[in-house]
Amino acid sequence: MAVKSNHVTIKGIKDGLVFLLDDECEYEELLGELRYKLEHSHQNILTGPIIHVDVKMGSRRITEDQKQNMLDILKQKGNLLIRSVEFPASEPEQVPVYAIMSGMVRSGQVLHHDGDLLFLGDVNPGGSILCTGDIYILGALRGMAHAGVEGNEEAIIAASHFAPTQLRIAEQISRPPDEWETRETSMEFAFLQNGAMQIDKISNIVRLRRDFNVFKGV
Amino acid sequence: MGEAIVITSGKGGVGKTTTSANIGTALALLGKKVCLVDTDIGLRNLDVVMGLENRIIYDLCDVAEGRCRLNQALVKDKRFDELYMLPAAQTKDKNAVSPEQVRDIILELKKEYEYIIIDCPAGIEQGFKNAIAGADKAIVVTTPENAAVRDADRIIGLLESSEIESPKLVVNRIRPNMVKTGDMLDIEDVLQVLNIDLIGIVPDDEYVIKAANSGEPTVMNPDSRAAIAYRNIARRILGDTVPLMHLDQKKGMFSKFKKLFGMG
């Protein structure tokens, strides 16, 4: 016994009912239809003895609030006992996405960015680059870089030519010692370790406990 | 329609006025019709460097406020028939004119002259905005010092966000000996930071000071190395390909011979 509809399909199984909810329409529309079906149609199966209900959301992702809204509607019918709500488990592992920008940050200019940033170009003395996430500079960092401006202590700063006037990660401010200018020419990055600024070669970035997508070879 | 080039630097004392006077004169020397415009209202110097101070009757502010016609304010150079100068007012300040007024004056001048060289005041305030208002191109002057390079960088940033097309760089007052010993930034260091096209390098030359005091632009003296440098810049503005000056030219005859025989 299956009742066909636009967005809400109610199916009977051996020991109860399955609500199949469309996963492409607007959520509000879906709730509206669900409410309508419960209140106006199918009274024969929706009143009577207690029935177990499984709700299947398809591939729709919903928030806790949205889930609660839906359960509230179902609970209006006293005889429906919700046994399970099926929706996609926790978000799949997200591959970090970097914004890419290019140009030059000259003296007096400030580049703000929300998130992680891959910057192709130079940051000159007197210029600043500020990000809520990580900063990767393909070019020279001669000015000021501030990663994790909103307090993310995990944020890092990397640059092909690492000669900053000042580095900041979250609340930590570090003035590089004078000898930095003449360090080896390999790409370097800065990170916080126990609240202190550390500098290392970019190849050691995997030693940070952060979940980068690490290439291990075959 | 002529071309308006603003000479700017951000920092004071790096040689904007000297560069303006010399590039302008060098262009006149190459047969171009040139007008120099001093926008440093209240601190005018270009007239002094050009030796035209005592010929000024009206100035930029008088033209802007309609107290005289543009032609009445132009001062003709004493050496060239095709070289003129529009002086700044000395009694007012930068707020006496607006960028729109300057733009109108420059537009008017572009009808008459092939090149308009605008001498910009130091700083990034009103005076700078006035100076770049009517310009098509910009030449940024810097010296091989960190402070000057920093300010030049700031100015380039401001120019890039205005309508002016890619600014060109002049590195002024280079001392080859100090560069060689590593006590002075070399051209490469400067270019690496500023990352714009170089249009000329000018060696430090005592004659420039002497010339400025006597009101005779350096370019008039063919013996001066700075003069050659300024003439080269003028030729590059006209589109000629002129190789950069070799800075360590001041070798004796003996070392030249040594080099000739492969011993240098």
Side-chain angles (χ1 to χ4, degrees):
Chain A
M1 167 180 152
V3 183
K4 196 78 187 153
S5 83
N6 284 343
H7 303 312
V8 179
T9 308
I10 306 174
K11 255 184 169 175
I13 53 168
K14 213 166 24 182
D15 57 346
L17 292 174
V18 178
F19 280 66
L20 295 173
L21 304 183
D22 187 89
D23 55 10
E24 275 167 5
C25 67
E26 289 288 318
Y27 193 67
E28 285 306 314
E29 202 180 322
L30 184 73
L31 291 185
E33 197 174 318
L34 181 65
R35 199 175 291 124
Y36 181 86
K37 284 211 162 154
L38 291 178
E39 284 164 11
H40 298 95
S41 57
H42 314 304
Q43 295 301 321
N44 50 340
I45 53 159
L46 297 174
T47 51
I50 286 175
I51 311 172
H52 289 289
V53 170
D54 298 302
V55 182
K56 293 190 174 170
M57 305 291 295
S59 62
R60 183 191 294 274
R61 292 182 201 288
I62 53 169
T63 63
E64 269 310 305
D65 283 351
Q66 286 176 326
K67 185 179 165 189
Q68 199 53 49
N69 282 344
M70 183 194 63
L71 294 180
D72 287 345
I73 294 170
L74 288 170
K75 277 176 191 159
Q76 285 170 5
K77 292 287 167 188
N79 64 325
L80 297 184
L81 190 65
I82 291 117
R83 184 164 48 188
S84 71
V85 179
E86 215 175 84
F87 59 93
S90 63
E91 307 240 323
E93 198 64 20
Q94 270 204 330
V95 182
V97 179
Y98 299 102
I100 301 180
M101 294 178 92
S102 62
M104 270 194 95
V105 181
R106 295 189 181 274
S107 179
Q109 298 177 329
V110 182
L111 171 58
H112 273 284
H113 178 71
D114 263 334
D116 300 333
L117 179 66
L118 175 60
F119 183 73
L120 316 179
D122 293 352
V123 180
N124 275 354
S128 346
I129 189 164
L130 282 78
C131 277
T132 54
D134 299 339
I135 301 172
Y136 301 88
I137 299 169
L138 272 185
L141 171 58
R142 301 191 189 90
M144 197 274 279
H146 190 171
V149 278
E150 281 165 12
N152 178 12
E153 299 201 343
E154 301 270 282
I156 65 162
I157 302 166
S160 322
H161 180 68
F162 211 75
T165 43
Q166 201 182 79
L167 288 176
R168 300 181 187 175
I169 295 177
E171 301 294 306
Q172 275 298 320
I173 300 177
S174 160
R175 179 176 49 83
D178 296 334
E179 61 264 32
W180 274 20
E181 285 272 4
T182 53
R183 282 173 76 109
E184 51 187 309
T185 51
S186 68
M187 187 167 176
E188 291 173 303
F189 74 105
F191 59 102
L192 283 187
Q193 195 172 54
N194 305 325
M197 193 83 67
Q198 305 286 332
I199 311 292
D200 206 344
K201 283 201 304 194
I202 196 77
S203 47
N204 291 336
I205 203 165
V206 290
R207 294 186 196 165
L208 280 185
R209 66 240 168 277
R210 295 182 36 170
D211 22 310
F212 288 108
N213 289 325
V214 179
F215 169 75
K216 292 205 176 91
V218 240
Chain B
M1 206 62 172
E3 194 174 77
I5 305 172
V6 61
I7 314 287
T8 181
S9 73
K11 191 176 179 299
V14 297
K16 285 179 296 297
T17 303
T18 310
T19 305
S20 302
N22 282 297
I23 289 179
T25 309
L27 284 168
L29 202 63
L30 292 165
K32 298 291 166 188
K33 208 171 174 200
V34 182
C35 184
L36 301 167
V37 179
D38 191 352
T39 58
D40 202 347
I41 301 167
L43 292 167
R44 71 176 180 208
N45 291 144
L46 189 59
D47 51 327
V48 182
V49 175
M50 294 295 290
L52 300 173
E53 194 178 9
N54 52 12
R55 303 181 187 211
I56 296 174
I57 297 163
Y58 294 110
D59 56 48
L60 184 77
C61 291
D62 293 325
V63 180
E65 284 159 22
R67 278 192 292 273
C68 70
R69 281 177 290 110
L70 178 57
N71 279 337
Q72 286 178 294
L74 293 177
V75 182
K76 193 174 129 348
D77 185 66
K78 46 189 172 185
R79 294 152 291 249
F80 297 96
D81 287 336
E82 303 269 56
L83 178 61
Y84 286 81
M85 184 194 66
L86 177 59
Q90 182 69 348
T91 51
K92 308 206 171 65
D93 66 21
K94 310 289 189 274
N95 300 320
V97 293
S98 70
E100 290 72 31
Q101 289 173 321
V102 178
R103 184 183 298 136
D104 290 346
I105 293 171
I106 302 292
L107 270 175
E108 196 67 30
L109 286 170
K110 275 161 76 172
K111 292 180 194 156
E112 274 298 305
Y113 298 89
E114 289 170 278
Y115 287 95
I116 294 108
I117 307 293
I118 306 163
D119 183 22
C120 176
I124 55 170
E125 296 86 12
Q126 181 73 20
F128 170 73
K129 286 172 191 149
N130 286 340
I132 66 165
D136 307 305
K137 292 185 176 174
I139 291 178
V140 177
V141 183
T142 189
T143 55
E145 297 161 70
N146 273 329
V149 172
R150 206 76 96 238
D151 290 1
D153 193 41
R154 178 89 169 102
I155 286 292
I156 294 165
L158 292 173
L159 287 170
E160 281 173 347
S161 58
S162 73
E163 290 158 15
I164 294 173
E165 54 183 280
S166 57
K168 303 277 186 284
L169 185 70
V170 168
V171 184
N172 198 8
R173 249 187 251 150
I174 299 163
R175 296 196 194 180
N177 292 336
M178 287 185 73
V179 172
K180 223 179 277 173
T181 54
D183 295 328
M184 187 177 254
L185 295 175
D186 72 9
I187 317 265
E188 271 312 306
D189 297 335
V190 177
L191 282 179
Q192 221 169 48
V193 171
L194 297 181
N195 201 21
I196 59 170
D197 294 341
L198 187 66
I199 198 170
I201 52 174
V202 182
D204 197 30
D205 188 342
E206 284 175 9
Y207 188 80
V208 174
I209 301 167
K210 201 175 139 196
N213 286 336
S214 60
E216 178 97 345
T218 321
V219 266
M220 302 304 292
N221 177 6
D223 295 333
S224 156
R225 287 178 35 81
I228 310 289
Y230 282 123
R231 288 183 190 197
N232 286 348
I233 294 172
R235 285 173 62 196
R236 289 185 197 111
I237 290 174
L238 298 184
D240 293 358
T241 326
V242 187
L244 277 186
M245 186 179 242
H246 285 292
L247 285 173
D248 44 358
Q249 239 172 22
K250 266 190 181 163
K251 280 180 179 168
M253 278 302 264
F254 186 64
S255 65
K256 272 187 193 162
F257 272 117
K258 260 172 117 175
K259 202 163 195 173
L260 198 65
F261 293 114
M263 291 151 70

